[in-house]
């Protein structure tokens, strides 16, 4: 229900002030602020999800300044074969369906270390540009020959750049404080016959597969198709096609164009997905009421399981110092008395400690000989398990409803 605090904030999409509380996850540190020492001080912020009854957007109620969150980023997309395979597949399909050639211009927003644009370059489409505000990852892209602007994308920046045939924005919309400004930027930079391809984690997976660990401060917004249609329509664009995909625990891929006088006949999946949301009530607060109850049950069951294993003398570790792992361990109030260490292959994370739980991060070579491994990066469980064929112990998923990504390598 709306309380005094929520009333002070406005929906970042439509400006509505009467936002309704979905879940209060407590006070937590920033999930990508890895600690150099387990004794480092930490700032905590309240993490709450609220629902906007006007436009259906779900968002967090506290906005941490983006400079604190994104100027130095520990996430390198190239670290995962799953993401690489996903990017390569998308690039191949896009080149074919848009009939791209050496004259085409492709821009990627939040281009990270160039993991995706490199596939366009390899296919001879060299007029590419990446835009990413995190200097350390942008530099990696530049070093491997992917032209990259180290900036936050917005309408003003879009006006200074040449128009593009294809604009890609994968897993970035949720991170954007000014959604309308960002989408107006896409509208300005997209050629009249161009196509933007957008991917976001899908709110139906968050709720129906119980994924509270995907809620963190870097993710300001959580999208249904209903809210996305509003976002693009209000900024002069249309959702021409929509599809559910299994990356990142369940996502939506959208194909965005300028409005056309000839709308596609079958609406390419948009109508069906939208109708299902209406049937389920995703556009009403009632749909979200069971979520906190399910989260509570899930966390209790998982905690009981881990503590029982520990009481039997088993050694438990975690795999994946992903933001969602940081969140899960903090929701569970776990520390190194239960989880000995967490394995992660990201050089920038190795040797550091997880925010909040202060568990040490070690490289895959130090996997050791544990009895049980909690798959904190459960979305990559197939890839992770394949890297440790010698492991005979138990892989533990945070809950049995989760849908890991199967399309990899
Ligand atoms: P993500 O779920 O936010 O994409 O993060 C995944 C994390 O898991 C990231 O820190 C890298 C790590 N990881 C490994 O350490 N080994 C692997 O094989 C994969 C796929 C991911
Ligand atoms: Zn709204």
């Amino acid at each position: 229900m709306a309380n005094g605090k929520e009333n002070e904030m406005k929906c970042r999409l439509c400006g509505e002030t009467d936002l309704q509380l979905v879940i209060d996850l407590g006070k937590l540190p920033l999930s990508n602020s890895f600690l150099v020492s387990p004794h480092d001080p930490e700032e905590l912020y309240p993490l709450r999800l609220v629902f906007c009854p006007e436009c259906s957007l779900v968002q967090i109620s506290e906005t941490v300044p983006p400079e604190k969150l994104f100027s130095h980023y520990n996430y390198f997309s190239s670290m995962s074969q799953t993401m690489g395979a996903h990017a390569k597949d998308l690039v191949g399909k896009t080149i074919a369906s848009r009939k791209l050639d050496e004259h085409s211009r492709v821009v990627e927003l939040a281009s990270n270390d160039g993991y995706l644009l490199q596939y366009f370059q390899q296919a001879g489409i060299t007029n590419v540009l990446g835009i990413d505000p995190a200097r350390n990852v942008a530099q990696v892209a530049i070093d491997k020959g992917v032209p990259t602007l180290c900036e936050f994308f917005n309408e003003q920046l879009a006006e200074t750049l040449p128009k593009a045939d294809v604009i890609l924005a994968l897993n970035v919309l949720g991170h954007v404080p000014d959604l309308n400004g960002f989408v107006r930027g896409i509208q300005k930079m997209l050629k009249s016959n161009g196509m933007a391809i957008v991917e976001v984690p899908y709110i139906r997976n968050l709720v129906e597969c119980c994924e509270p660990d995907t809620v963190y401060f870097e993710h300001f917004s959580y999208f249904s198709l209903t809210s996305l249609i509003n976002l693009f329509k209000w900024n002069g664009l249309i959702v021409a096609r929509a599809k559910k995909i299994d990356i990142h625990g369940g996502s939506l891929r959208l194909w965005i164009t300028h409005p056309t006088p000839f709308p596609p006949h079958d609406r390419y999946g948009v109508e069906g997905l939208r109708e299902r949301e209406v049937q389920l009530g995703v556009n009403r607060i009632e749909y979200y009421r069971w979520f906190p109850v399910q989260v509570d049950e899930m966390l209790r069951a998982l905690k009981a399981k881990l503590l029982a294993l520990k009481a039997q003398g088993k050694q438990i570790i975690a795999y994946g110092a992903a933001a969602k792992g940081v969140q899960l361990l903090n929701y569970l109030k776990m520390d190194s008395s239960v989880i000995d260490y967490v394995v992660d292959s990201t050089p920038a994370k190795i040797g550091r400690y997880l925010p909040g739980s202060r568990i040490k991060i070690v490289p895959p070579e130090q996997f050791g000989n544990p009895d049980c491994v909690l798959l904190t990066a459960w979305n990559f469980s197939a890839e992770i398990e394949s890297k440790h064929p010698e492991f005979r112990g138990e892989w533990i998923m945070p809950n049995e409803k989760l849908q890991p990504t199967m399309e990899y390598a």
Side-chain angles (χ1 to χ4, degrees):
M1 284 292 95
N3 65 27
K5 183 75 170 90
E6 273 82 47
N7 278 336
E8 283 169 28
M9 74 166 290
K10 280 188 183 168
C11 170
R12 66 179 67 251
L13 173 47
C14 75
E16 170 67 39
T17 52
D18 188 18
L19 304 180
Q20 299 168 324
L21 183 67
V22 172
I23 191 167
D24 186 339
L25 290 157
K27 282 189 128 191
L28 294 143
L30 303 182
S31 53
N32 278 311
S33 298
F34 293 93
L35 308 177
V36 175
S37 137
H39 310 294
D40 285 353
E42 290 184 284
E43 272 179 71
L44 303 182
Y45 301 87
L47 184 59
R48 288 182 296 183
L49 274 187
V50 293
F51 170 77
C52 174
E54 270 307 301
C55 70
S56 297
L57 185 70
V58 170
Q59 57 208 296
I60 59 171
S61 62
E62 182 94 358
T63 302
V64 178
E67 298 74 27
K68 274 201 166 181
L69 297 172
F70 304 122
S71 301
H72 186 93
Y73 209 40
N74 287 310
Y75 187 75
F76 289 82
S77 302
S78 295
M79 294 308 298
S80 136
Q81 285 170 307
T82 311
M83 285 304 291
H86 179 73
K88 194 172 180 183
D89 177 68
L90 175 60
V91 168
K93 286 180 175 149
T94 305
I95 292 172
S97 68
R98 303 307 297 167
K99 302 187 172 54
L100 302 182
D101 60 25
E102 67 276 15
H103 305 295
S104 309
R105 177 166 172 85
V106 176
V107 178
E108 187 186 11
L109 313 178
S111 47
N112 201 275
D113 56 10
Y115 76 106
L116 186 142
L117 288 176
Q118 66 182 358
Y119 293 118
F120 281 105
Q121 292 176 311
Q122 286 165 19
I125 296 151
T126 51
N127 187 4
V128 300
L129 177 69
I131 302 177
D132 200 295
R135 185 150 303 281
N136 59 324
V137 288
Q139 193 57 50
V140 173
I142 292 165
D143 291 346
K144 60 183 186 204
V146 179
T148 304
L149 268 182
C150 184
E151 305 263 8
F152 283 98
F153 179 74
N154 54 31
E155 200 176 355
Q156 289 71 37
L157 182 64
E159 280 167 352
T160 67
L161 297 170
K163 293 199 180 217
D165 298 279
V166 170
I167 299 176
L168 295 131
L170 310 192
N171 297 306
V172 57
L173 224 43
H175 297 284
V176 172
D178 177 12
L179 283 174
N180 292 304
F182 190 89
V183 172
R184 273 198 304 276
I186 296 180
Q187 198 267 351
K188 292 219 160 120
M189 206 171 64
L190 190 65
K191 284 188 185 169
S192 59
N193 62 348
M195 171 83 80
I197 298 172
V198 172
E199 289 182 9
V200 292
Y202 192 18
I203 187 115
R204 282 195 49 205
N205 291 84
L206 164 60
V207 171
E208 293 167 35
C209 304
C210 201
E211 302 173 355
D213 49 342
T214 63
V215 179
Y216 41 83
F217 297 105
E218 289 85 346
H219 276 175
F220 302 135
S221 306
Y222 302 79
F223 297 99
S224 56
L225 181 58
T226 307
S227 61
L228 288 161
I229 289 172
N230 289 334
L231 168 63
F232 288 104
K233 187 172 68 188
W234 294 340
N235 293 291
L237 292 167
I238 60 162
V239 180
R241 187 178 166 203
K243 188 180 170 206
K244 282 206 276 186
I245 52 174
D246 71 358
I247 199 93
H248 288 303
S251 296
L252 276 181
R253 179 181 290 167
L254 306 179
W255 288 261
I256 307 293
T257 63
H258 287 283
T260 134
F262 310 108
H265 291 302
D266 60 0
R267 307 295 309 275
Y268 290 106
V270 180
E271 212 55 53
L273 278 171
R274 170 72 183 263
E275 273 167 21
R276 186 72 188 127
E277 287 191 357
V278 173
Q279 273 171 4
L280 291 165
V282 179
N283 52 346
R284 296 195 305 273
I285 185 67
E286 286 71 22
Y287 171 79
Y288 303 90
R289 292 244 196 269
W290 277 104
F291 182 56
V293 181
Q294 286 195 313
V295 168
D296 202 48
E297 271 176 25
M298 187 270 264
L299 293 175
R300 270 173 209 272
L302 181 57
K303 188 163 188 168
K305 176 173 177 140
L306 295 173
L307 293 178
L309 288 167
K310 195 71 193 171
Q312 291 163 26
K314 308 271 195 208
Q315 188 194 27
I316 312 172
I317 66 163
Y319 210 113
K324 62 173 75 61
V326 171
Q327 296 305 90
L328 182 68
L329 294 166
N330 284 336
Y331 300 155
L332 290 167
K333 300 196 168 43
M334 290 282 155
D335 57 22
S336 51
S337 67
V338 183
I339 309 283
D340 284 17
Y341 49 89
V342 51
V343 177
D344 197 290
S345 56
T346 315
K349 296 180 185 176
I350 292 166
R352 301 207 166 209
Y353 296 80
L354 296 186
S357 60
R358 292 157 189 256
I359 299 168
K360 187 161 188 178
I361 304 165
V362 306
E365 303 76 61
Q366 291 174 34
F367 181 82
N369 192 22
D371 299 294
C372 312
V373 181
L374 177 63
L375 278 159
T376 35
W378 50 265
N379 49 323
F380 294 131
S381 59
E383 182 175 343
I384 289 170
E385 289 181 31
S386 76
K387 287 184 181 161
H388 297 277
E390 75 293 346
F391 177 60
R392 293 279 166 271
E394 186 184 359
W395 294 106
I396 302 173
M397 288 290 272
N399 82 59
E400 71 285 352
K401 291 186 205 155
L402 298 173
Q403 293 170 4
T405 313
M406 298 320 290
E407 45 164 291
Y408 92 95

